[in-house]
């Protein structure tokens, strides 16, 4: 759609500083790299998930990077992905950020809602932003701890349960207790 191109052009046409790539040697493992200095430089993160224009609940490593860095974030993804993240037990920042963008079905209005919230925060003075960040500490700590504890068990269970469902569909019999042992090993 040309509407997105026009919006991007308007946003970037008057930019005077150069656009930069954050690495001179892009490679396929960049998504797995976590540079904490880079992740903690920004007060807020804008996570641009892989799927935005398709009606799909799909979370990747991108959204977990600010969680590990203990940073608040906006989730630029398909509608419902912020709610999907919450379904895994994570908390979001609805007390400080208007997260109604997650319910918006129109892709262009959704990104406009996100950018309006970013603009609102950018217009705040530094002391107000620092106060908000201080107020968010409980949520940031909770998400960090949840990621490294309960969440791991949830996704291991989901992975093995999905695998078991596939095994049952194709009518393969595994040794008794095999999948329970797999779950135990993966959770170690």
């Amino acid at each position: 759609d040309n509407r997105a191109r026009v919006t991007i052009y308007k946003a970037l046409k008057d930019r005077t500083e150069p656009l930069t790539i954050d690495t001179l040697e892009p490679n396929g493992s960049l998504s797995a790299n976590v540079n904490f200095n880079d992740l903690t430089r920004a007060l807020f993160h804008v996570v641009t998930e892989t799927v935005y224009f398709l009606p799909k609940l799909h979370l990747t490593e991108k959204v977990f990077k600010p969680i590990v860095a203990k940073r608040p974030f906006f989730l630029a993804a398909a509608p419902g992905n912020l709610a999907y993240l919450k379904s895994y037990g994570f908390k979001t920042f609805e007390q400080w950020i208007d997260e109604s963008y997650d319910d918006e079905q129109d892709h262009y209005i959704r990104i406009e809602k996100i950018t309006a919230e970013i603009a609102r925060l950018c217009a705040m003075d530094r002391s107000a932003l620092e106060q908000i960040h201080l107020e968010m500490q409980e949520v940031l700590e909770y998400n960090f701890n949840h990621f490294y504890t309960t969440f791991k068990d949830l996704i291991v269970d989901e992975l093995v349960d999905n695998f078991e469902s596939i095994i049952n569909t194709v009518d393969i019999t595994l040794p008794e207790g095999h999948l329970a042992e797999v779950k135990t090993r993966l959770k170690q």
Side-chain angles (χ1 to χ4, degrees), residues 97-163:
I97 297 170
D98 177 3
E99 294 179 340
S100 65
Y101 65 84
D102 190 52
D103 299 323
E104 181 55 56
Q105 297 299 310
D106 183 293
H107 309 304
Y108 303 103
I109 294 173
R110 188 166 61 256
I111 200 67
E112 287 170 0
K113 285 183 167 191
I114 292 170
T115 55
E117 269 303 283
I118 293 168
R120 182 185 68 81
L121 289 170
C122 288
M124 297 173 85
D125 66 40
R126 184 179 181 93
S127 63
L129 287 171
E130 288 171 352
Q131 179 60 37
I132 286 172
H133 194 260
L134 188 63
E135 292 171 7
M136 291 178 169
Q137 289 307 303
E138 185 179 322
V139 171
L140 297 170
E141 287 293 329
Y142 170 85
N143 284 344
F144 177 86
N145 291 325
H146 180 66
F147 178 80
Y148 284 107
T149 58
T150 312
F151 180 62
K152 181 181 177 185
D153 291 342
L154 288 170
I155 60 172
V156 165
D157 287 344
E158 183 177 301
L159 171 71
V160 175
D161 292 346
N162 287 342
F163 179 72

Side-chain angles (χ1 to χ4, degrees), residues 14-19:
D14 296 325
R15 187 180 174 107
T16 56
E17 66 275 5
L19 297 174

Side-chain angles (χ1 to χ4, degrees), residues 74-86:
F74 293 87
L75 185 57
N81 273 282
L82 202 55
Y84 185 46
L85 182 69
K86 289 179 185 181

